[in-house]
Amino acid sequence: MQRVLPFVVAATVAFGQQPPAFEVASIKPDAQGEGADFDFGFTPDGGIRSRNFSVWNLIRSAYKLRNLQIAGGPSWIKSQGFDIQAKPPQTGTPVTREQTLLMLQTLLEDRFNLKFHREIRQVPSYALAVARQGPKLPPPRNGRSRPAMGDLDVASMTMESLCQALEFDLDRPVVNQTGLDGPFAIRLQWASDRGPNGATDPAKPSLFTAIEEQLGLKLDATRAPLEMFVIDSVERPSEN
């Protein structure tokens, strides 16, 4: 059963003020097409700049969502990229990252006519737990990290962060049920078709086997509640 969450109105709206918005925003469709390089970043003055960035990724960034939390919307929100340059009002006061994200939310709702609701859904998931032989997790270390799918080498990582990394390969939410405090140094190699080469290495074990043999953990199939961001409607942006 789905449970619809009540819409939470921001404090600024509750007191009759306008939600934070960029002073100037230029939005143009990118001509490179799907599969081309893209980037997104914050400017020093508290604005944003993107190249060939999809609406799907804009929503994920603005509302701090994981991919698995977003549902609905037409197919073009993943395939069509946009070039955006947006500047905040010049008030002389530094703009925080949170304020910039609120302005990005306003841009999506005003220029893309984004309408959405949130609801809780029970979805197929995995629970990350400690295996019978116990965890094999060394303490965090100094040094560089290599967070690649299929070859995860991270100097310092919590179990929550590991769960989020595993979601990209499993296409399901992963819930931390290890009860372990971190962080830990994580070294995990498995056969993944989402690694740097895009092909599964037959010499490597499956993710389920690797998790147990290399980390002393296990993945159990389950169902868990997940807060979903459901897109009711969205349109290509209005002209600049």
Side-chain angles (χ1 to χ4, degrees), residues 18-30:
Q18 293 294 323
F22 294 115
E23 184 173 58
V24 179
S26 168
I27 305 175
K28 298 178 180 179
D30 189 277

Side-chain angles (χ1 to χ4, degrees), residues 134-142 153-159 180-188 214-217:
K136 305 174 184 178
L137 299 169
R141 57 175 171 78
N142 296 322
D153 186 4
V154 182
S156 179
M157 193 177 213
T158 65
M159 291 293 96
L180 299 173
D181 295 325
F184 304 96
I186 301 295
R187 185 74 175 98
L188 183 65
Q214 299 170 30
L215 301 183
L217 305 175

